[in-house]
């Protein structure tokens, strides 16, 4: 393949799904392709994530990104136009060098990730492959349509209700095809709305499009969701519809104790609490069940529950290959959440996927709570072959953009397999 030459680089400030400023970049190549990408933004961020650049020097999403946009239109433009490029890794390494900080704070992770994703699209187009196929080829993996994990009930930092747990997801693990799975998800989402209305509960939405009723106990949320699954005519469990939780436990962890619903739990008691939840409900995945600063709790929880459920590190690993490597050696979890903007470049994201794969960890690709219409993560999930994507509710444009992109890929590739990749014990694994 000939080298890729960029002829123009241009960024502008746009809005994200929460109505906060973010940025979009467009790269024009000599071969005539135009590649764009937009930066998403998290609300419940891990302490070790790469850092966004916002005007006024504060990490508050309400601030503008004009400095970040200027950085792309000046410094980064100059860098990308200064030579031709043989591979994505070269572009990403040059971006990291230009930034010069460990956490990408000078140019900003929002800047770097948008340029990196747009560049990956340019390389894919240059090689005449769809983005997902280019990713699979770069990783040496077989493509697979992921099980969509629909976040149908929101709490924590994503909603104004008193529910401490952040995300309650339904996963059509037993659906025969992606299209069927997406239909199941939408039917259950609407059954849940009807159920909430019958109970006089609000159907107002949280940041990811899930309902945010005024409830506080996780069990209440799980009772509503399992009832909605049954109301919609589906069975509970891996052969039907399973549940995945993201408690995002950082947000209710204070001085070594987990506090919610007027009760306090030690890390060991939290493991006992989750044990009961996974016994009582068809839960297959627990993301951030404990806080990022609870190094002893994680291995203990994974040893106790890891044969029965997927234990996913999000804030714990922040898509960082070194942190995942450490987690593999300590047995802190058995899976990693993958969000490109947590680490900053596509190459580092793919490196994290490879580290996880070699260490026997599963992976789930994820959107952020502040999103745009960019669908990069849909292609990433397919190309990684990891079998799982979470992109919020089956409603709201920025969330369904990803699910609709999956449907488009499925339509163009009728023989591509769909579903989780499971070990004999029923745990998720990479393909
Ligand atoms: O915690 C999470 O997994 C994410 C996405 O759902 O939320 P945020 O983007 O706010 O970090
Ligand atoms: Mg999370």
């Amino acid at each position: 393949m000939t080298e890729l030459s960029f002829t123009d680089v241009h960024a502008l400030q746009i809005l994200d799904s929460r109505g906060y400023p973010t940025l979009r970049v467009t790269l024009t190549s000599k071969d005539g392709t135009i590649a764009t990408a937009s930066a998403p933004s998290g609300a419940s961020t891990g302490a070790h994530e790469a850092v966004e650049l916002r005007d006024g020097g504060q990490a508050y999403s309400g601030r503008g990104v004009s400095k970040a946009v200027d950085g792309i239109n000046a410094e980064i433009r100059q860098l990308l136009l200064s030579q031709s490029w043989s591979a994505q890794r070269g572009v990403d390494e040059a971006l990291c060098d230009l930034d010069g900080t460990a956490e990408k704070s000078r140019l900003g992770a929002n800047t770097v990730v948008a340029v990196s994703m747009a560049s990956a699209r340019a390389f894919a187009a240059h090689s005449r492959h769809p983005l997902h196929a280019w990713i699979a080829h770069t990783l040496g993996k077989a493509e697979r349509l992921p099980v969509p994990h629909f976040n149908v009930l929101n709490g924590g930092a994503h909603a104004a209700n008193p529910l401490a747990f952040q995300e309650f997801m339904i996963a059509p693990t037993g659906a025969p095809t992606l299209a069927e799975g997406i239909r199941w998800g939408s039917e259950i989402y609407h059954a849940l709305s009807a159920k909430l209305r019958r109970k006089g509960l609000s159907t107002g939405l949280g940041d990811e499009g899930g309902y945010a009723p005024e409830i506080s106990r996780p069990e209440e949320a799980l009772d509503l969701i399992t009832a909605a699954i049954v109301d919609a005519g589906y069975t509970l469990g891996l052969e039907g519809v399973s549940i995945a939780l993201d408690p995002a436990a950082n947000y209710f962890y204070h001085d070594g104790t987990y506090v919610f619903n007027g009760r306090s739990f030690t890390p060991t008691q939290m493991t006992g609490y989750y044990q009961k939840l996974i016994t009582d409900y068809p839960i297959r995945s627990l993301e951030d069940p404990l806080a990022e600063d609870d190094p002893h709790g994680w291995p203990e929880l994974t040893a106790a529950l890891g044969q029965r459920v997927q234990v996913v590190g999000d804030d714990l690993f922040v898509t960082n290959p070194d942190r995942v490597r450490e987690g593999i050696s300590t047995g802190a979890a058995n899976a990693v959440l993958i969000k490109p903007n947590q680490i900053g470049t596509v190459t580092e994201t793919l490196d994290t996927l490879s580290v996880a794969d070699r260490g026997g960890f599963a992976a789930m690709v994820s959107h952020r709570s502040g999103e745009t219409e960019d669908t990069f993560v849909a292609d990433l999930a397919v190309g990684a072959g990891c079998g799982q994507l979470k992109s919020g509710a089956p409603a709201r444009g920025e969330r369904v953009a990803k699910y609709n992109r999956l449907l488009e890929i499925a339509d163009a590739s009728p023989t591509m397999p769909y579903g989780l990749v499971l070990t004999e014990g029923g745990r998720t694994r990479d393909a």
Side-chain angles (χ1 to χ4, degrees):
M1 197 180 72
T2 56
E3 297 206 328
L4 181 61
S5 299
F6 296 112
T7 54
D8 196 20
V9 175
H10 182 72
L12 76 159
Q13 181 169 306
I14 60 168
L15 289 179
D16 75 10
S17 57
R18 272 194 280 252
Y20 289 139
T22 186
L23 58 90
R24 173 183 297 158
V25 60
T26 301
L27 304 181
T28 310
S29 309
K30 205 167 151 193
D31 62 14
T33 56
I34 293 176
T36 71
S38 302
S41 179
S44 68
T45 48
H48 304 281
E49 284 192 28
V51 177
E52 291 181 342
L53 181 63
R54 291 205 175 262
D55 300 343
Q58 275 184 32
Y60 162 58
S61 335
R63 291 183 185 269
V65 292
S66 62
K67 267 178 23 199
V69 166
D70 290 348
I72 297 177
N73 290 336
E75 266 188 90
I76 293 181
R77 181 174 195 279
Q78 201 177 8
L79 170 74
L80 292 187
L81 267 49
S82 69
Q83 62 171 91
S84 55
W85 303 90
S86 60
Q88 176 72 22
R89 187 172 289 274
V91 171
D92 286 339
E93 283 174 0
L95 285 170
C96 291
D97 288 349
L98 184 68
D99 173 75
T101 68
E103 69 289 349
K104 294 161 183 100
S105 56
R106 195 181 74 78
L107 292 168
N110 43 350
T111 305
V112 174
V113 81
V115 173
S116 181
M117 293 193 302
S119 163
R121 284 201 167 103
F123 271 106
H126 193 60
S127 69
R128 298 183 194 285
H129 283 106
L131 181 60
H132 56 87
W134 176 86
I135 290 170
H137 183 258
T138 306
L139 277 171
K141 300 288 290 185
E143 294 178 78
R144 188 173 194 88
L145 293 161
V147 174
H149 285 59
F150 300 109
N151 182 5
V152 294
L153 210 147
N154 297 181
H158 294 169
N161 60 8
L163 187 61
F165 283 19
Q166 181 177 282
E167 297 171 26
F168 293 79
M169 292 169 271
I170 52 167
T173 39
T177 62
L178 172 83
E180 281 286 283
I182 288 183
R183 186 170 63 80
W184 292 15
S186 120
E187 288 172 9
I188 296 163
Y189 180 72
H190 292 111
L192 180 58
S193 161
K195 180 131 244 119
L196 291 169
R197 272 184 276 119
R198 274 200 303 278
K199 288 187 171 285
L201 290 164
S202 159
T203 52
L205 303 181
D207 286 355
E208 299 189 347
Y211 302 110
E214 291 280 309
I215 58 174
S216 61
R217 291 174 51 246
E219 292 84 349
E220 255 176 296
L222 288 163
D223 286 338
L224 285 163
I225 291 169
T226 47
I229 294 171
V230 172
D231 281 358
Y234 299 103
T235 54
L236 301 172
L238 272 184
E239 300 71 32
V241 179
S242 327
I243 292 176
L245 298 183
D246 178 5
N250 277 353
Y251 283 79
F252 51 91
Y253 183 67
H254 310 281
D255 301 327
T257 309
Y258 296 88
V259 182
F260 60 99
N261 298 136
R263 291 172 67 191
S264 331
F265 297 79
T266 64
T268 305
Q269 287 168 337
M270 272 315 276
T271 294
Y273 176 68
Y274 288 124
Q275 185 142 28
K276 177 146 173 48
L277 283 190
I278 68 178
T279 304
D280 293 348
Y281 299 96
I283 295 169
R284 63 161 293 269
S285 181
L286 283 178
E287 175 186 330
D288 285 351
L290 299 174
E292 66 195 7
D293 297 330
D294 184 0
H296 305 298
W298 280 87
E300 186 187 323
L301 181 142
T302 303
L305 310 179
Q307 290 305 316
R308 294 172 61 192
V309 289
Q310 173 175 259
V311 181
V312 190
D314 169 16
D315 291 343
L316 180 69
F317 295 138
V318 293
T319 316
N320 182 315
D322 297 331
R323 292 183 67 86
V324 173
R325 224 172 261 123
E326 193 187 325
I328 290 167
S329 73
T330 58
N334 57 33
V336 57
L337 199 75
I338 298 289
K339 296 165 166 169
N341 82 325
Q342 278 184 324
I343 183 72
T345 65
V346 171
T347 298
E348 290 164 293
T349 303
L350 300 185
D351 286 349
T352 302
L353 279 159
S354 298
V355 166
D357 198 20
R358 284 198 300 274
F361 268 33
M364 182 191 283
V365 174
S366 169
H367 66 157
R368 297 306 306 243
S369 52
E371 265 297 337
T372 71
E373 57 274 43
D374 191 301
T375 57
F376 192 94
V377 290
D379 283 73
L380 179 60
V382 171
C386 62
Q388 323 178 63
L389 170 73
K390 70 166 192 174
S391 176
R396 287 181 50 147
E398 78 282 3
R399 311 295 150 189
V400 301
K402 281 71 163 172
Y403 299 129
N404 288 344
R405 171 65 184 149
L406 291 181
L407 288 167
E408 194 175 83
I409 296 171
D411 187 57
S413 318
T415 57
M416 194 185 287
Y418 161 79
L420 298 177
V421 188
L422 297 173
T423 60
E424 269 177 30
R427 248 196 50 218
T428 325
R429 248 204 69 72
D430 260 8

